[in-house]
Each structure stands twice: as C-alpha cells, then as structure tokens.
C-alpha cells in the first residue's frame, strides 16, 4: 500500500475515510448508509476468514470469494449492487493514492461476461427489430426507442437527458440552449452524466431517476438517430423546467420530463402489439427498455469484437479504461461505433 498521500485515518480506517469523502462530495445520507452497510459487511467477511485481512490488503480472489458468498442468499441484482459498491470504493481509494490498485476490476469484468451473455433471453434478430421500429410512428415514441437501441443507455439515463446533453452538427429546430462544455468540439454526440440521483436536484430540477454509470460517457449520434431526434425536437412541447429536458410527455403530463415508468409503458405497449410482451413473462421473454440495452450490447459486441469500446459506451468500465477511450475519442470510439453500429431505419 502507498503511504505517500495517506493520512492516519486512511491507514487505520479506510472505509471511514471513504465515507467521509463521499459526504464531502455531496452524497446523500441514504447513499452513504448503503455504502457503509456493504463495505462494513465486506470488512467483517475478511476479518472472519481463516487468515484475517485488513481491507486494503484484499486481493481479487478475496473479492471474488466475498461476492460468491452472498450469492444464493440475495437476488442477482443485489449481488451486482454490492459488487459495484466495492468497485467504486477501491477505485476511489486507488485514485487518491491510498491503495495501490483496485482488486475489483477483474471481478467486475468477469461479472460482466456472465451478465451480458444470457442464453435464456428472447433473441430478436436485426430484421425483426427493424420491423418493430418501423411500426412506431409517433415522433416521441420512435425517438425513445431508437435512442435506447442505438446507445444502450438505461431508461432512467434517457429520462435524465437535458437539451444541453445533445450536440447535433445540424441541430434543426432545437431550443436556443448552449450544449455542455464537455460537448464542445464533439458534434453529433450525446452526453450521459454520472451524477443525477433520484430525489435530488440536477441542473435546477429534482430528478425521478438515478443514472448508474461509473463515469460520464459521450456517445456518438449517427445519421439515423440524428434524424429521429430532429423530428422529435420539431414537435417537442415547451416546458417550464429550468433544466429543459430533452424528452417530455405529450400525453397527460404534457411538457413534463418523462419518467422511467412512462418509458416502460411506451415500450411495453408496442412490444405487446408484436407479441413480445406478456403478463408474467419475465425478463427472459418480455422486451423492455432493459432488453434494448441487452440487444445493443450483444449486437455491437459481436460486430466489433471490441469489448472495451462496448463497455465504454455502456458506462461499465473503470477509471483507467474510461480515460484511455476518452483521450482517443476521435480515433477509436467514434470510428468503431460509426463503422459497426447497426441500421434500424
């Protein structure tokens, strides 16, 4: 362990050090309590083993053993949440120089392999998905569907998009709102932040969903998605929100930011018409917004053979990989994406 930048608190209680830091960073008490519960459970697991270890000396095998220990007693989604908390803890402590490395990086890669390859899911081929998209005529509903399919983002992340998060080279009838500084010089791009949290304000508006990305991500917008978004912007209702959400309701909640429930309802209604959604069908049968993320991952990964780029676009990679791909934006991520992204229209 490196001691050059460590403080006594970081040495004696790295978990407490981390919890203090995330409080200073503005994390809510509820979020901090969730981290504390998971991290202290991990600490207890290490101390109860045949060879007790301090947290800072845990290896990737120790981390794998802990994740394995909670399987069977918890839902897979809970296991993934515990793993993500550990990963963020180790990544942060490594970044600030308290730990030498992040033993969870390899564990997360192995978990991604098992989660992303799900043979029990309904398999929709590209031709069928094109027919599905073609059946959707409403500009908002088509824009939602194509955005999810072309980017692999989550429903909550889509709902949290603001006008400033979209930079189109040919903007069309876009409201006169400057793009984020991070999109300067990156035309035809979407910015997905890591920080919006449900119940907390972001860009002047309280959010109904949380983004779950490890880091902010900039995703290319190809010609198809750009055309669909311009068509939506041409009829997008005005909104009173100071955040100027990109996607707003055109029905009962006219002009208000979409919620994940609204997005799920829209996708479900069209999936039912195609026979792709039945009550009680479960994730293995029903086509939902999360299925679109699976579709994006599977098809783009098979086309590119580059798991790193796909994981970057999904927002699933660690700090060092994110930095590499961000710095190589023009020469790698965008080039790979534009060469390999499937056509839907």
């Amino acid at each position: 362990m490196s001691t050059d930048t460590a403080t006594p608190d970081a040495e004696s209680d790295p978990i407490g050090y981390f919890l203090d830091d995330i409080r200073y960073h503005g994390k809510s008490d509820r979020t901090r309590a969730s981290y504390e519960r998971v991290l202290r459970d991990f600490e207890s697991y290490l101390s109860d083993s045949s060879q007790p270890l301090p947290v800072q000396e845990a290896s990737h095998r120790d981390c794998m053993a802990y994740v394995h220990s909670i399987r069977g007693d918890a839902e897979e989604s809970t296991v993934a949440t515990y793993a993500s908390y550990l990963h963020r803890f180790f990544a942060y402590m490594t970044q600030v120089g308290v730990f030498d490395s992040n033993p969870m990086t390899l564990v997360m890669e192995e978990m991604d392999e098992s989660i992303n390859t799900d043979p029990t899911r309904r398999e929709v081929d590209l031709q069928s998905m094109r027919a599905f998209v073609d059946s959707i005529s409403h500009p908002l509903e088509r824009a939602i569907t194509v955005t999810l399919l072309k980017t692999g983002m989550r429903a909550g992340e889509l709902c949290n998009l603001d006008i400033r998060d979209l930079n189109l080279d040919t903007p069309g009838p876009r409201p006169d709102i400057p793009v984020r500084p991070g999109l300067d010089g990156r035309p035809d791009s979407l910015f997905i932040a890591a920080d919006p949290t449900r119940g907390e304000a972001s860009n002047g508006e309280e959010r109904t969903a949380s983004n779950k990305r490890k880091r902010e991500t900039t995703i290319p917008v190809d010609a198809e998605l750009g055309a669909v978004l311009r068509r939506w912007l041409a009829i997008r209702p005005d909104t009173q929100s100071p955040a100027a959400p990109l996607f707003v309701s055109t029905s009962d909640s006219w002009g208000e930011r979409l919620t994940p429930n609204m997005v799920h309802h829209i996708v479900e209604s069209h999936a039912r018409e195609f026979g792709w959604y039945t009550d009680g069908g479960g994730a293995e049968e029903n086509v939902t917004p999360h299925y679109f993320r699976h579709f994006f991952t599977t098809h783009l990964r098979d086309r590119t053979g580059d798991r790193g780029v796909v994981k970057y676009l999904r927002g699933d990679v660690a700090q060092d990989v994110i930095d590499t791909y961000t710095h190589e934006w023009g020469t790698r991520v965008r080039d790979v994406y534009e060469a390999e992204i499937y056509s839907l229209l």
Side-chain angles (χ1 to χ4, degrees):
M1 183 182 72
S2 172
T3 59
D4 292 342
T5 60
T7 67
D9 286 340
E11 290 275 6
S12 61
D13 184 14
I15 292 175
Y17 178 94
F18 171 77
L19 293 172
D20 276 349
D21 274 18
I22 65 173
R23 183 179 64 223
Y24 301 149
H25 292 161
K27 296 297 184 184
S28 68
D29 289 342
R30 185 175 59 182
T31 297
R32 188 174 177 273
S34 297
Y35 271 101
E36 183 169 22
R37 183 175 63 255
V38 173
L39 295 175
R40 293 302 184 191
D41 186 63
F42 176 62
E43 181 181 51
S44 177
Y45 172 84
L46 293 176
S47 65
D48 290 343
S49 64
S50 58
Q51 295 181 322
L53 285 174
V55 170
Q56 55 266 45
E57 294 182 16
S59 69
H60 80 277
R61 290 181 64 85
D62 298 317
C63 293
M64 283 193 296
Y66 171 72
V67 171
H68 178 71
S69 74
I70 59 179
R71 286 198 173 101
D73 295 329
E75 296 290 335
E76 194 62 34
S77 60
T78 302
V79 175
T81 298
Y82 274 47
S84 69
Y85 281 9
L86 279 179
H87 181 54
R88 290 169 190 172
F89 164 67
F90 278 110
Y92 180 80
M93 298 301 280
T94 301
Q95 184 179 3
V96 299
V98 178
F99 294 173
D100 286 335
S101 62
N102 179 359
M104 280 298 296
T105 299
L106 180 58
V107 179
M108 297 302 290
E109 289 176 357
E110 291 170 347
M111 290 182 69
D112 285 344
E113 291 285 335
S114 62
I115 292 171
N116 293 346
T117 305
D118 186 351
T120 66
R121 281 188 181 273
R122 174 192 293 275
E123 290 302 326
V124 177
D125 60 41
L126 188 54
Q127 184 175 355
S128 298
M129 190 60 78
R130 286 171 179 154
F132 176 77
V133 171
D134 188 58
S135 72
I136 303 173
S137 58
H138 191 286
L140 171 61
E141 296 174 3
R142 187 168 226 196
I144 289 170
T145 303
V146 175
T147 300
L148 291 172
L149 283 166
K150 286 275 190 173
T151 66
M153 71 175 67
R154 301 173 178 88
E157 293 169 343
L158 178 137
C159 294
N160 277 327
L161 290 172
D162 296 334
I163 291 288
R164 66 175 184 165
D165 297 322
L166 174 64
N167 185 11
L168 293 176
D169 192 31
T170 305
R174 166 200 170 99
D176 187 20
I177 297 171
V179 300
R180 281 179 177 268
L183 287 181
D184 285 343
R186 293 180 173 177
D188 291 328
S189 301
L190 267 170
F191 182 95
I192 307 178
D195 55 351
T197 301
R198 181 180 179 181
E200 297 183 4
S202 178
N203 196 20
E205 181 187 349
E206 182 175 322
R207 301 306 172 109
T208 60
S210 299
N211 284 8
K212 298 180 180 179
R213 299 200 163 232
K214 296 177 183 177
R215 293 282 295 178
E216 61 191 33
T217 312
T218 309
I219 300 180
V221 173
D222 72 348
E224 284 187 350
L225 179 54
V228 168
L229 290 173
R230 278 189 290 272
R231 183 180 177 220
W232 157 242
L233 287 169
I235 64 125
R236 172 186 172 274
D238 292 334
T239 176
Q240 297 300 312
S241 168
L246 177 59
F247 292 111
V248 298
S249 175
T250 57
S251 56
D252 294 341
S253 302
W254 180 267
E256 295 182 9
R257 182 185 298 275
L258 289 184
T259 66
N261 283 342
M262 293 177 186
V263 174
H264 279 268
H265 176 73
I266 289 168
V267 173
E268 176 188 327
S269 64
H270 289 289
R272 282 184 184 276
E273 293 177 2
F274 256 64
W276 291 354
Y277 193 102
T278 58
D279 292 331
E284 70 278 3
E285 181 179 350
N286 288 340
V287 168
T288 64
H290 189 71
Y291 178 85
F292 292 157
R293 184 167 167 84
H294 163 78
F295 184 93
F296 171 87
T297 300
T298 302
H299 283 263
L300 197 60
R301 185 182 60 206
D302 290 348
R303 284 167 170 257
T304 64
D306 190 332
R307 290 181 179 273
V309 168
V310 175
K311 288 172 69 178
Y312 166 80
L313 293 167
R314 283 172 50 95
D316 286 345
V317 294
Q319 173 73 35
D320 55 345
V321 180
I322 281 281
D323 286 344
T324 298
Y325 287 137
T326 301
H327 295 158
E328 296 177 356
W329 172 262
T331 60
R332 183 153 191 181
V333 176
R334 180 173 287 277
D335 289 347
V336 170
Y337 180 91
E338 291 183 342
E340 303 295 346
I341 188 62
Y342 40 77
S343 172
L344 291 172
L345 306 176

